[in-house]
Amino acid sequence: MNRTMLRLMPYFVLVLCLAAIGIFLFSRGNNTGGKAKYTSGVTDLELDGTAYTMVNDILAESYVGSKVKSVVGAQSGKQAGVIKTMAVFTVAKLFRVEGDENGRYLIDNLGRLYARSDIAEELKRRLATDDGLPVRKIVTSAHSPLSARDLSAEEIGMLTELQKNGGEETTIKDVSFVTDYSNRREIFAFTEDGLLYKVVTELFLYRGSVYLTTGFEGDKNTAKEQKLTGVKLPEEWQSHFAEYWK
């Protein structure tokens, strides 16, 4: 072995150690759950012999209000399996959906939602319209569906009517307010069993009044103009909905 090789030997050892550490980090703790594999891209997969088909689209550019993505999702439960490449590197972790007692659904670490293939097509048809998610709830300051409170039929009726017929709009350009997302209250639509959901609309509180968001222009670059537009809720509902900010 010549001197050049001897000088390079520590670097080779370092590279091998880093590779070993990388393999360990990618693979450790990922053996929880059953055997899973993709059967058609990421659209279809198989877990322990059961076929599942993806029923949402995490890449869809569908937003509500202040650029809140409106994609059907679910709460992750117990890890059900992993999908690996080369039998080493984890490409996806699969989880049961919290509360799903019959193994109908899986959700991965990126938010892709899968249903058993025998029910997937019918479910996709249902989820294509808001009618497939008939239950409406409003989030609290935690901005999580887990914190959402039920809305009454009267509340839902008023908001639906306001969305349908609109009204006089108010436009706010105060950057400090428009970029403060903590004043928003998203409204989620849930399936009857409460397992699947997505954001369908948004409210905000401005100078003591509650508004239904009708438009938003802005991004993280606050040097650009930021604009939030909304329709004021009827006066008889103002004090009632303001309670959701307390």
Side-chain angles (χ1 to χ4, degrees):
M1 184 179 295
N2 58 37
R3 292 181 179 178
T4 301
M5 291 296 293
L6 287 173
R7 286 198 300 270
L8 293 177
M9 184 61 71
Y11 297 101
F12 291 143
V13 173
L14 177 61
V15 170
L16 288 174
C17 289
L18 290 175
I21 291 171
I23 291 173
F24 172 73
L25 292 176
F26 271 103
S27 59
R28 70 174 185 155
N30 291 328
N31 296 318
T32 303
K35 185 177 181 181
K37 64 179 180 180
Y38 290 124
T39 56
S40 177
V42 297
T43 303
D44 296 278
L45 60 82
E46 187 177 288
L47 174 65
D48 290 337
T50 301
Y52 290 85
T53 299
M54 188 164 64
V55 294
N56 68 353
D57 182 5
I58 63 172
L59 299 179
E61 295 296 319
S62 176
Y63 297 93
V64 168
S66 303
K67 289 195 174 179
V68 177
K69 205 158 190 178
S70 182
V71 174
V72 178
Q75 182 66 26
S76 298
K78 183 178 179 181
Q79 185 167 316
V82 294
I83 298 177
K84 295 186 177 183
T85 182
M86 300 171 60
V88 175
F89 298 103
T90 298
V91 294
K93 293 182 181 180
L94 302 173
F95 302 87
R96 299 293 180 188
V97 166
E98 190 70 40
D100 176 22
E101 303 295 336
N102 301 311
R104 292 172 293 169
Y105 309 123
L106 296 172
I107 189 166
D108 73 7
N109 52 297
L110 294 178
R112 298 188 187 99
L113 179 67
Y114 295 84
R116 278 200 330 258
S117 295
D118 60 317
I119 64 173
E121 288 306 314
E122 175 59 27
L123 181 63
K124 281 195 286 188
R125 282 193 291 271
R126 284 188 58 203
L127 299 179
T129 67
D130 289 348
D131 292 340
L133 299 113
V135 180
R136 298 291 187 272
K137 297 184 179 184
I138 186 170
V139 300
T140 66
S141 57
H143 294 278
S144 164
L146 295 180
S147 73
R149 303 176 186 176
D150 290 338
L151 289 175
S152 68
E154 291 78 14
E155 290 173 302
I156 295 169
M158 182 275 294
L159 292 172
T160 300
E161 185 69 18
L162 194 60
Q163 279 185 295
K164 181 179 178 181
N165 295 323
E168 183 179 350
E169 293 186 329
T170 296
T171 298
I172 303 159
K173 296 184 179 181
D174 178 354
V175 173
S176 62
F177 177 84
V178 176
T179 57
D180 179 12
Y181 299 114
S182 65
N183 67 63
R184 314 298 204 272
R185 292 293 181 269
E186 296 87 11
I187 293 177
F188 280 76
F190 287 76
T191 49
E192 295 92 337
D193 57 16
L195 300 183
L196 311 182
Y197 52 76
K198 71 174 181 178
V199 182
V200 289
T201 192
E202 172 191 87
L203 304 175
F204 64 87
L205 181 68
Y206 180 65
R207 294 182 177 177
S209 296
V210 182
Y211 294 79
L212 174 72
T213 302
T214 55
F216 173 77
E217 295 178 22
D219 54 32
K220 294 180 180 179
N221 181 4
T222 55
K224 296 181 180 179
E225 182 181 53
Q226 309 279 330
K227 185 165 61 176
L228 179 64
T229 305
V231 176
K232 194 174 180 180
L233 269 58
E235 286 300 328
E236 61 269 26
W237 286 99
Q238 285 293 328
S239 60
H240 175 80
F241 272 85
E243 291 293 321
Y244 289 114
W245 274 261
K246 295 179 181 179

